[in-house]
PDB file of all heavy atoms in Angstrom:
ATOM      1  N   VAL L   1      14.693  -2.890  26.664  1.00 87.00           N
ATOM      2  CA  VAL L   1      14.710  -3.700  27.879  1.00 87.00           C
ATOM      3  C   VAL L   1      13.757  -4.868  27.665  1.00 87.00           C
ATOM      4  O   VAL L   1      13.325  -5.119  26.545  1.00 87.00           O
ATOM      5  CB  VAL L   1      14.334  -2.879  29.137  1.00 87.00           C
ATOM      6  CG1 VAL L   1      15.425  -1.882  29.464  1.00 87.00           C
ATOM      7  CG2 VAL L   1      12.996  -2.183  28.996  1.00 87.00           C
ATOM      8  N   ARG L   2      13.429  -5.542  28.716  1.00 84.00           N
ATOM      9  CA  ARG L   2      12.656  -6.776  28.772  1.00 84.00           C
ATOM     10  C   ARG L   2      13.649  -7.919  28.624  1.00 84.00           C
ATOM     11  O   ARG L   2      14.685  -7.792  27.991  1.00 84.00           O
ATOM     12  CB  ARG L   2      11.521  -6.822  27.760  1.00 84.00           C
ATOM     13  CG  ARG L   2      10.519  -5.657  27.991  1.00 84.00           C
ATOM     14  CD  ARG L   2       9.325  -5.654  27.113  1.00 84.00           C
ATOM     15  NE  ARG L   2       8.512  -6.834  27.197  1.00 84.00           N
ATOM     16  CZ  ARG L   2       7.566  -7.050  28.117  1.00 84.00           C
ATOM     17  NH1 ARG L   2       7.330  -6.161  29.065  1.00 84.00           N
ATOM     18  NH2 ARG L   2       6.846  -8.143  28.087  1.00 84.00           N
ATOM     19  N   SER L   3      13.354  -9.014  29.231  1.00 79.00           N
ATOM     20  CA  SER L   3      14.331 -10.093  29.378  1.00 79.00           C
ATOM     21  C   SER L   3      14.800 -10.679  28.056  1.00 79.00           C
ATOM     22  O   SER L   3      15.921 -11.169  27.965  1.00 79.00           O
ATOM     23  CB  SER L   3      13.772 -11.196  30.284  1.00 79.00           C
ATOM     24  OG  SER L   3      12.606 -11.756  29.706  1.00 79.00           O
ATOM     25  N   ARG L   4      13.970 -10.606  27.009  1.00 79.00           N
ATOM     26  CA  ARG L   4      14.359 -11.189  25.725  1.00 79.00           C
ATOM     27  C   ARG L   4      14.716 -10.131  24.684  1.00 79.00           C
ATOM     28  O   ARG L   4      14.944 -10.451  23.517  1.00 79.00           O
ATOM     29  CB  ARG L   4      13.264 -12.130  25.230  1.00 79.00           C
ATOM     30  CG  ARG L   4      13.158 -13.376  26.131  1.00 79.00           C
ATOM     31  CD  ARG L   4      12.015 -14.312  25.797  1.00 79.00           C
ATOM     32  NE  ARG L   4      11.727 -14.539  24.399  1.00 79.00           N
ATOM     33  CZ  ARG L   4      12.434 -15.342  23.579  1.00 79.00           C
ATOM     34  NH1 ARG L   4      13.481 -15.989  24.049  1.00 79.00           N
ATOM     35  NH2 ARG L   4      12.090 -15.492  22.326  1.00 79.00           N
ATOM     36  N   ALA L   5      14.744  -8.867  25.061  1.00 81.00           N
ATOM     37  CA  ALA L   5      15.179  -7.756  24.206  1.00 81.00           C
ATOM     38  C   ALA L   5      14.596  -7.845  22.793  1.00 81.00           C
ATOM     39  O   ALA L   5      13.404  -7.703  22.602  1.00 81.00           O
ATOM     40  CB  ALA L   5      16.695  -7.663  24.196  1.00 81.00           C
ATOM     41  N   CYS L   6      15.437  -8.100  21.789  1.00 80.00           N
ATOM     42  CA  CYS L   6      14.984  -8.138  20.388  1.00 80.00           C
ATOM     43  C   CYS L   6      14.066  -9.310  20.082  1.00 80.00           C
ATOM     44  O   CYS L   6      13.357  -9.280  19.075  1.00 80.00           O
ATOM     45  CB  CYS L   6      16.182  -8.188  19.446  1.00 80.00           C
ATOM     46  SG  CYS L   6      17.008  -6.618  19.293  1.00 80.00           S
ATOM     47  N   ALA L   7      14.086 -10.328  20.895  1.00 83.00           N
ATOM     48  CA  ALA L   7      13.215 -11.473  20.664  1.00 83.00           C
ATOM     49  C   ALA L   7      11.873 -11.329  21.388  1.00 83.00           C
ATOM     50  O   ALA L   7      11.002 -12.167  21.218  1.00 83.00           O
ATOM     51  CB  ALA L   7      13.907 -12.763  21.103  1.00 83.00           C
ATOM     52  N   ASP L   8      11.710 -10.278  22.171  1.00 88.00           N
ATOM     53  CA  ASP L   8      10.465 -10.062  22.898  1.00 88.00           C
ATOM     54  C   ASP L   8       9.377  -9.615  21.929  1.00 88.00           C
ATOM     55  O   ASP L   8       9.541  -8.638  21.191  1.00 88.00           O
ATOM     56  CB  ASP L   8      10.681  -9.001  23.976  1.00 88.00           C
ATOM     57  CG  ASP L   8       9.428  -8.744  24.773  1.00 88.00           C
ATOM     58  OD1 ASP L   8       9.223  -9.435  25.784  1.00 88.00           O
ATOM     59  OD2 ASP L   8       8.641  -7.858  24.361  1.00 88.00           O
ATOM     60  N   ARG L   9       8.257 -10.318  21.928  1.00 90.00           N
ATOM     61  CA  ARG L   9       7.194 -10.019  20.958  1.00 90.00           C
ATOM     62  C   ARG L   9       6.620  -8.620  21.136  1.00 90.00           C
ATOM     63  O   ARG L   9       6.225  -7.974  20.160  1.00 90.00           O
ATOM     64  CB  ARG L   9       6.095 -11.076  21.012  1.00 90.00           C
ATOM     65  CG  ARG L   9       5.294 -11.118  22.280  1.00 90.00           C
ATOM     66  CD  ARG L   9       4.255 -12.267  22.269  1.00 90.00           C
ATOM     67  NE  ARG L   9       3.566 -12.364  23.528  1.00 90.00           N
ATOM     68  CZ  ARG L   9       2.441 -11.706  23.817  1.00 90.00           C
ATOM     69  NH1 ARG L   9       1.876 -10.924  22.920  1.00 90.00           N
ATOM     70  NH2 ARG L   9       1.882 -11.836  25.004  1.00 90.00           N
ATOM     71  N   HIS L  10       6.577  -8.103  22.363  1.00 93.00           N
ATOM     72  CA  HIS L  10       6.076  -6.746  22.585  1.00 93.00           C
ATOM     73  C   HIS L  10       7.047  -5.715  22.009  1.00 93.00           C
ATOM     74  O   HIS L  10       6.620  -4.757  21.363  1.00 93.00           O
ATOM     75  CB  HIS L  10       5.836  -6.486  24.069  1.00 93.00           C
ATOM     76  CG  HIS L  10       4.806  -7.371  24.673  1.00 93.00           C
ATOM     77  ND1 HIS L  10       3.461  -7.241  24.400  1.00 93.00           N
ATOM     78  CD2 HIS L  10       4.915  -8.420  25.517  1.00 93.00           C
ATOM     79  CE1 HIS L  10       2.791  -8.160  25.056  1.00 93.00           C
ATOM     80  NE2 HIS L  10       3.651  -8.894  25.745  1.00 93.00           N
ATOM     81  N   ASN L  11       8.339  -5.905  22.257  1.00 91.00           N
ATOM     82  CA  ASN L  11       9.327  -4.998  21.680  1.00 91.00           C
ATOM     83  C   ASN L  11       9.233  -5.002  20.162  1.00 91.00           C
ATOM     84  O   ASN L  11       9.236  -3.942  19.518  1.00 91.00           O
ATOM     85  CB  ASN L  11      10.749  -5.392  22.106  1.00 91.00           C
ATOM     86  CG  ASN L  11      11.079  -4.956  23.513  1.00 91.00           C
ATOM     87  OD1 ASN L  11      10.431  -4.103  24.092  1.00 91.00           O
ATOM     88  ND2 ASN L  11      12.118  -5.560  24.072  1.00 91.00           N
ATOM     89  N   LEU L  12       9.155  -6.192  19.574  1.00 90.00           N
ATOM     90  CA  LEU L  12       9.064  -6.286  18.115  1.00 90.00           C
ATOM     91  C   LEU L  12       7.809  -5.600  17.592  1.00 90.00           C
ATOM     92  O   LEU L  12       7.853  -4.898  16.569  1.00 90.00           O
ATOM     93  CB  LEU L  12       9.102  -7.747  17.672  1.00 90.00           C
ATOM     94  CG  LEU L  12      10.438  -8.457  17.883  1.00 90.00           C
ATOM     95  CD1 LEU L  12      10.296  -9.940  17.573  1.00 90.00           C
ATOM     96  CD2 LEU L  12      11.533  -7.813  17.049  1.00 90.00           C
ATOM     97  N   LYS L  13       6.698  -5.794  18.285  1.00 94.00           N
ATOM     98  CA  LYS L  13       5.439  -5.165  17.868  1.00 94.00           C
ATOM     99  C   LYS L  13       5.581  -3.648  17.838  1.00 94.00           C
ATOM    100  O   LYS L  13       5.205  -2.989  16.867  1.00 94.00           O
ATOM    101  CB  LYS L  13       4.310  -5.562  18.817  1.00 94.00           C
ATOM    102  CG  LYS L  13       2.983  -4.855  18.525  1.00 94.00           C
ATOM    103  CD  LYS L  13       1.951  -5.147  19.584  1.00 94.00           C
ATOM    104  CE  LYS L  13       2.043  -4.055  20.628  1.00 94.00           C
ATOM    105  NZ  LYS L  13       0.953  -4.036  21.587  1.00 94.00           N
ATOM    106  N   TRP L  14       6.156  -3.069  18.904  1.00 95.00           N
ATOM    107  CA  TRP L  14       6.262  -1.612  18.986  1.00 95.00           C
ATOM    108  C   TRP L  14       7.299  -1.055  18.024  1.00 95.00           C
ATOM    109  O   TRP L  14       7.081  -0.005  17.409  1.00 95.00           O
ATOM    110  CB  TRP L  14       6.529  -1.169  20.427  1.00 95.00           C
ATOM    111  CG  TRP L  14       5.302  -1.279  21.255  1.00 95.00           C
ATOM    112  CD1 TRP L  14       5.045  -2.193  22.245  1.00 95.00           C
ATOM    113  CD2 TRP L  14       4.118  -0.494  21.130  1.00 95.00           C
ATOM    114  NE1 TRP L  14       3.779  -2.009  22.747  1.00 95.00           N
ATOM    115  CE2 TRP L  14       3.186  -0.970  22.079  1.00 95.00           C
ATOM    116  CE3 TRP L  14       3.753   0.568  20.310  1.00 95.00           C
ATOM    117  CZ2 TRP L  14       1.916  -0.405  22.232  1.00 95.00           C
ATOM    118  CZ3 TRP L  14       2.486   1.121  20.460  1.00 95.00           C
ATOM    119  CH2 TRP L  14       1.597   0.634  21.410  1.00 95.00           C
ATOM    120  N   ILE L  15       8.430  -1.732  17.878  1.00 93.00           N
ATOM    121  CA  ILE L  15       9.441  -1.263  16.924  1.00 93.00           C
ATOM    122  C   ILE L  15       8.847  -1.259  15.518  1.00 93.00           C
ATOM    123  O   ILE L  15       8.973  -0.285  14.765  1.00 93.00           O
ATOM    124  CB  ILE L  15      10.711  -2.136  16.985  1.00 93.00           C
ATOM    125  CG1 ILE L  15      11.439  -1.914  18.315  1.00 93.00           C
ATOM    126  CG2 ILE L  15      11.640  -1.829  15.803  1.00 93.00           C
ATOM    127  CD1 ILE L  15      12.534  -2.923  18.589  1.00 93.00           C
ATOM    128  N   ARG L  16       8.202  -2.358  15.158  1.00 94.00           N
ATOM    129  CA  ARG L  16       7.589  -2.450  13.828  1.00 94.00           C
ATOM    130  C   ARG L  16       6.525  -1.358  13.652  1.00 94.00           C
ATOM    131  O   ARG L  16       6.481  -0.688  12.627  1.00 94.00           O
ATOM    132  CB  ARG L  16       6.985  -3.838  13.621  1.00 94.00           C
ATOM    133  CG  ARG L  16       6.404  -4.030  12.218  1.00 94.00           C
ATOM    134  CD  ARG L  16       5.884  -5.425  11.992  1.00 94.00           C
ATOM    135  NE  ARG L  16       6.885  -6.435  11.767  1.00 94.00           N
ATOM    136  CZ  ARG L  16       7.699  -6.496  10.713  1.00 94.00           C
ATOM    137  NH1 ARG L  16       7.676  -5.559   9.815  1.00 94.00           N
ATOM    138  NH2 ARG L  16       8.538  -7.495  10.572  1.00 94.00           N
ATOM    139  N   HIS L  17       5.664  -1.180  14.658  1.00 97.00           N
ATOM    140  CA  HIS L  17       4.620  -0.152  14.571  1.00 97.00           C
ATOM    141  C   HIS L  17       5.234   1.230  14.380  1.00 97.00           C
ATOM    142  O   HIS L  17       4.823   1.984  13.488  1.00 97.00           O
ATOM    143  CB  HIS L  17       3.741  -0.179  15.830  1.00 97.00           C
ATOM    144  CG  HIS L  17       2.832   1.003  15.927  1.00 97.00           C
ATOM    145  ND1 HIS L  17       1.738   1.179  15.101  1.00 97.00           N
ATOM    146  CD2 HIS L  17       2.869   2.091  16.752  1.00 97.00           C
ATOM    147  CE1 HIS L  17       1.140   2.328  15.407  1.00 97.00           C
ATOM    148  NE2 HIS L  17       1.801   2.885  16.405  1.00 97.00           N
ATOM    149  N   TYR L  18       6.182   1.585  15.215  1.00 97.00           N
ATOM    150  CA  TYR L  18       6.790   2.910  15.120  1.00 97.00           C
ATOM    151  C   TYR L  18       7.471   3.114  13.765  1.00 97.00           C
ATOM    152  O   TYR L  18       7.303   4.149  13.126  1.00 97.00           O
ATOM    153  CB  TYR L  18       7.799   3.130  16.251  1.00 97.00           C
ATOM    154  CG  TYR L  18       7.197   3.384  17.624  1.00 97.00           C
ATOM    155  CD1 TYR L  18       7.986   3.259  18.754  1.00 97.00           C
ATOM    156  CD2 TYR L  18       5.870   3.750  17.804  1.00 97.00           C
ATOM    157  CE1 TYR L  18       7.472   3.503  20.030  1.00 97.00           C
ATOM    158  CE2 TYR L  18       5.342   3.990  19.064  1.00 97.00           C
ATOM    159  CZ  TYR L  18       6.153   3.870  20.176  1.00 97.00           C
ATOM    160  OH  TYR L  18       5.643   4.117  21.432  1.00 97.00           O
ATOM    161  N   CYS L  19       8.245   2.131  13.324  1.00 96.00           N
ATOM    162  CA  CYS L  19       9.011   2.303  12.086  1.00 96.00           C
ATOM    163  C   CYS L  19       8.132   2.272  10.839  1.00 96.00           C
ATOM    164  O   CYS L  19       8.408   2.976   9.868  1.00 96.00           O
ATOM    165  CB  CYS L  19      10.112   1.252  11.993  1.00 96.00           C
ATOM    166  SG  CYS L  19      11.428   1.508  13.206  1.00 96.00           S
ATOM    167  N   GLU L  20       7.080   1.465  10.844  1.00 97.00           N
ATOM    168  CA  GLU L  20       6.194   1.414   9.679  1.00 97.00           C
ATOM    169  C   GLU L  20       5.240   2.612   9.637  1.00 97.00           C
ATOM    170  O   GLU L  20       4.922   3.114   8.564  1.00 97.00           O
ATOM    171  CB  GLU L  20       5.401   0.109   9.668  1.00 97.00           C
ATOM    172  CG  GLU L  20       6.262  -1.092   9.335  1.00 97.00           C
ATOM    173  CD  GLU L  20       5.516  -2.411   9.386  1.00 97.00           C
ATOM    174  OE1 GLU L  20       4.353  -2.459   9.882  1.00 97.00           O
ATOM    175  OE2 GLU L  20       6.109  -3.416   8.944  1.00 97.00           O
ATOM    176  N   THR L  21       4.799   3.066  10.790  1.00 98.00           N
ATOM    177  CA  THR L  21       3.868   4.190  10.851  1.00 98.00           C
ATOM    178  C   THR L  21       4.575   5.523  10.640  1.00 98.00           C
ATOM    179  O   THR L  21       3.979   6.451  10.090  1.00 98.00           O
ATOM    180  CB  THR L  21       3.132   4.195  12.214  1.00 98.00           C
ATOM    181  OG1 THR L  21       2.532   2.911  12.419  1.00 98.00           O
ATOM    182  CG2 THR L  21       2.057   5.268  12.275  1.00 98.00           C
ATOM    183  N   TYR L  22       5.826   5.595  11.047  1.00 98.00           N
ATOM    184  CA  TYR L  22       6.585   6.849  11.005  1.00 98.00           C
ATOM    185  C   TYR L  22       7.894   6.633  10.235  1.00 98.00           C
ATOM    186  O   TYR L  22       8.981   6.572  10.817  1.00 98.00           O
ATOM    187  CB  TYR L  22       6.853   7.345  12.430  1.00 98.00           C
ATOM    188  CG  TYR L  22       5.584   7.492  13.235  1.00 98.00           C
ATOM    189  CD1 TYR L  22       5.213   6.532  14.166  1.00 98.00           C
ATOM    190  CD2 TYR L  22       4.735   8.570  13.026  1.00 98.00           C
ATOM    191  CE1 TYR L  22       4.033   6.653  14.888  1.00 98.00           C
ATOM    192  CE2 TYR L  22       3.545   8.697  13.743  1.00 98.00           C
ATOM    193  CZ  TYR L  22       3.202   7.733  14.671  1.00 98.00           C
ATOM    194  OH  TYR L  22       2.026   7.855  15.373  1.00 98.00           O
ATOM    195  N   PRO L  23       7.825   6.513   8.911  1.00 97.00           N
ATOM    196  CA  PRO L  23       8.993   6.120   8.117  1.00 97.00           C
ATOM    197  C   PRO L  23      10.077   7.181   7.982  1.00 97.00           C
ATOM    198  O   PRO L  23      11.169   6.880   7.476  1.00 97.00           O
ATOM    199  CB  PRO L  23       8.383   5.785   6.751  1.00 97.00           C
ATOM    200  CG  PRO L  23       7.155   6.634   6.672  1.00 97.00           C
ATOM    201  CD  PRO L  23       6.626   6.685   8.083  1.00 97.00           C
ATOM    202  N   ASN L  24       9.825   8.399   8.446  1.00 98.00           N
ATOM    203  CA  ASN L  24      10.826   9.456   8.305  1.00 98.00           C
ATOM    204  C   ASN L  24      11.773   9.543   9.500  1.00 98.00           C
ATOM    205  O   ASN L  24      12.715  10.310   9.484  1.00 98.00           O
ATOM    206  CB  ASN L  24      10.133  10.809   8.080  1.00 98.00           C
ATOM    207  CG  ASN L  24      11.066  11.847   7.521  1.00 98.00           C
ATOM    208  OD1 ASN L  24      11.900  11.560   6.671  1.00 98.00           O
ATOM    209  ND2 ASN L  24      10.930  13.062   8.001  1.00 98.00           N
ATOM    210  N   LEU L  25      11.523   8.754  10.553  1.00 95.00           N
ATOM    211  CA  LEU L  25      12.453   8.736  11.681  1.00 95.00           C
ATOM    212  C   LEU L  25      13.510   7.659  11.438  1.00 95.00           C
ATOM    213  O   LEU L  25      13.336   6.790  10.592  1.00 95.00           O
ATOM    214  CB  LEU L  25      11.727   8.505  13.008  1.00 95.00           C
ATOM    215  CG  LEU L  25      11.131   7.140  13.280  1.00 95.00           C
ATOM    216  CD1 LEU L  25      12.133   6.219  13.964  1.00 95.00           C
ATOM    217  CD2 LEU L  25       9.919   7.290  14.173  1.00 95.00           C
ATOM    218  N   LYS L  26      14.586   7.745  12.159  1.00 96.00           N
ATOM    219  CA  LYS L  26      15.654   6.752  12.072  1.00 96.00           C
ATOM    220  C   LYS L  26      15.816   6.126  13.451  1.00 96.00           C
ATOM    221  O   LYS L  26      16.233   6.792  14.384  1.00 96.00           O
ATOM    222  CB  LYS L  26      16.952   7.413  11.621  1.00 96.00           C
ATOM    223  CG  LYS L  26      16.862   7.991  10.215  1.00 96.00           C
ATOM    224  CD  LYS L  26      17.762   9.210  10.101  1.00 96.00           C
ATOM    225  CE  LYS L  26      17.411  10.061   8.923  1.00 96.00           C
ATOM    226  NZ  LYS L  26      16.281  10.966   9.139  1.00 96.00           N
TER     227      LYS L  26
END
């Protein structure tokens, strides 16, 4: 969610954090 979805800097920050910190999830 959030008005800019994939372009939202907060969304990008959290997606990157989750995926880089937890590489075994999909």
Side-chain angles (χ1 to χ4, degrees):
V1 291
R2 300 184 59 84
S3 62
R4 292 175 40 77
C6 285
D8 181 89
R9 67 183 175 89
H10 298 288
N11 282 342
L12 292 173
K13 175 187 92 169
W14 285 109
I15 291 168
R16 184 177 284 294
H17 169 71
Y18 286 164
C19 291
E20 289 177 349
T21 306
Y22 305 101
N24 197 39
L25 70 90
K26 296 149 198 81

